[in-house]
Amino acid sequence: MIDHDHMREALSLALKGKGFTSPNPCVGAVVVKNGKVVGRGWHRAAGLAHAEVEAINDAQKSDVQTSDTQKNNAQKNIPAGGPARELSNTQGATIYVTLEPCNHFGKTPPCTHKIINAGIKRVVVGCSDPNPYVSGGGIQYLRENGIEVETGILEQEAQTLIEEFIWYTRKDKTPFVILKCASTLDGRIATSTGDSQWITNERSREQVHRIRHEVDAILIGSGTLHADNPSLTARIENIRTKDPVRIILDSKLSIDETARVITQKSSAKTILVTGPRASVEKRQWLEKKGVAVLEVSLKNGRLDLNELMIKLGNMSIQSLLIEGGGKVAAAALKEGIVNKVLFFLAPKFLGGSDGIPVFDGTGPEKIKDAFELKQMDVKMFDNDVLITGYLKDPYLTE
């Protein structure tokens, strides 16, 4: 269980990088010597040091600090107070890392080399690299160099942490799609007048902003755009966040020129997804405003979502959160693009049939054809309930 405890800390460290590391996965690492954690690290952003390097450097930094203290004490004739402390925190140590260490040169050198040069003798890995071209290569290289390697410690937790990276890597480079819904107990997202603020409570809304921060992009339809004029940013008080790329389905480019997604300040770009008959003049105006316009084909009179997923994947968008209204949510399910569902239920009901439903359109005729969630999890956010489940196996084991 000691290995599990240290891996849990590594997973917690990895989570600090969630949202900042794409297109790389978030990874955490812990260096342990004589049962004590001497180094911690996580991958902070693409192009920066990997988690293993951060943890090893952290351990060796404490070596330097200890050495300097001993030198100062010697100069002041202060006794050491016992046997000399071994300074090499990494020599013979164990490193716990949530993802298999890389064994190839990219923007940074291989982490396997750093581990070997640090004198580490044991490596504990959460999950292997999902890339079939390199999977197992780092583990094999470490073993060939005399290092003990143990794998699969808290593997499911490690995989869930990077499920979007796993899906994107293994499934033809298309985004891992999360559908977020929030409704009353009787399945309504708004009253008959369109009023929807607020169905869920403040804690639930904060969780949604946290998810926005973690994904690469967020998608809504033009109906939600006109009804709510949303910002589609990630805002959490006293926490640094990253805005997702904003994607709006707008087949006729009907967006208002004063819409927040165009006028607000944000480091993330806005993409308008349109059809082949959209106004050329409106498109040119939007592009001059810095808005990207992406054209996709129409399928049964609606934008082809599967074609869109391919194009977004080609733009290195690995994860996509759908927050659209009933029509977009229903279309996403029917087109089979949804991997994961986050369904918030508020302890309220409208008590009528005239409210706006979660899904707008026709559903299956038989219960056996209903969409069914797997690997479910239920959490409470004060009085709200969040039901999480999968429609597709992110690890492609089925």
Side-chain angles (χ1 to χ4, degrees), residues 70-315:
Q70 289 182 348
K71 288 179 181 178
N72 291 335
N73 288 346
Q75 292 171 356
K76 297 175 183 178
N77 294 319
I78 298 175
R85 180 182 178 276
E86 183 182 352
L87 294 182
S88 182
N89 277 335
T90 57
Q91 189 70 37
T94 296
I95 187 169
Y96 295 81
V97 58
T98 58
L99 180 65
E100 175 183 356
C102 64
N103 192 42
H104 56 275
F105 283 89
K107 292 184 178 179
T108 58
C111 290
T112 51
H113 294 193
K114 180 77 172 182
I115 291 170
I116 293 168
N117 292 336
I120 287 173
K121 290 303 180 184
R122 182 170 180 255
V123 178
V124 180
V125 177
C127 65
S128 60
D129 194 311
N131 188 333
Y133 297 104
V134 300
S135 182
I139 293 170
Q140 180 180 351
Y141 184 77
L142 291 170
R143 285 173 174 163
E144 288 173 350
N145 282 270
I147 295 178
E148 177 189 350
V149 182
E150 186 167 352
T151 63
I153 303 299
L154 297 183
E155 183 176 31
Q156 183 174 348
E157 291 89 338
Q159 288 178 329
T160 299
L161 188 68
I162 58 168
E163 59 191 6
E164 68 288 336
F165 178 75
I166 293 174
W167 174 265
Y168 183 82
T169 302
R170 293 182 178 175
K171 190 60 177 178
D172 303 324
K173 295 191 180 301
T174 55
F176 181 85
V177 178
I178 303 168
L179 174 62
K180 190 243 30 177
C181 305
S183 81
T184 60
L185 292 177
D186 48 356
R188 304 294 166 176
I189 61 174
T191 67
S192 59
T193 65
D195 181 42
S196 62
Q197 294 186 348
W198 294 103
I199 288 178
T200 54
N201 62 39
E202 186 174 346
R203 279 196 64 209
S204 294
R205 296 195 298 273
E206 180 179 299
Q207 177 66 10
V208 172
H209 279 270
R210 194 176 302 276
I211 296 164
R212 287 182 180 182
H213 156 73
E214 293 178 354
V215 298
D216 291 336
I218 182 173
L219 181 146
I220 64 168
S222 57
T224 299
L225 176 74
H226 295 312
D228 299 340
N229 190 22
S231 298
L232 302 182
T233 53
R235 307 179 303 277
I236 306 175
E237 189 174 355
N238 299 323
I239 296 178
R240 184 171 71 96
T241 56
K242 170 198 64 66
D243 289 342
V245 173
R246 295 171 291 277
I247 301 173
I248 295 97
L249 303 180
D250 191 0
S251 59
K252 298 179 181 178
L253 291 184
S254 60
I255 187 171
D256 189 88
E257 296 175 359
T258 61
R260 287 195 184 106
V261 293
I262 295 177
T263 60
Q264 69 189 353
K265 291 183 179 180
S266 174
S267 58
K269 63 182 177 180
T270 296
I271 300 174
L272 270 291
V273 182
T274 191
R277 300 188 188 91
S279 166
V280 175
E281 292 78 10
K282 185 69 171 284
R283 177 171 184 160
Q284 291 173 343
W285 181 89
L286 287 165
E287 289 174 339
K288 287 181 181 178
K289 290 290 184 179
V291 177
V293 179
L294 180 63
E295 183 178 314
V296 299
S297 305
L298 295 178
K299 181 180 178 181
N300 299 324
R302 300 181 65 87
L303 296 169
D304 189 332
L305 295 183
N306 278 288
E307 180 184 327
L308 175 60
M309 293 306 105
I310 294 171
K311 290 191 174 184
L312 294 181
N314 290 337
M315 297 165 61

Side-chain angles (χ1 to χ4, degrees), residues 3-15:
D3 282 349
H4 287 71
D5 291 339
H6 291 311
M7 185 61 73
R8 285 191 185 92
E9 181 172 3
L11 289 166
S12 296
L13 290 168
L15 193 58

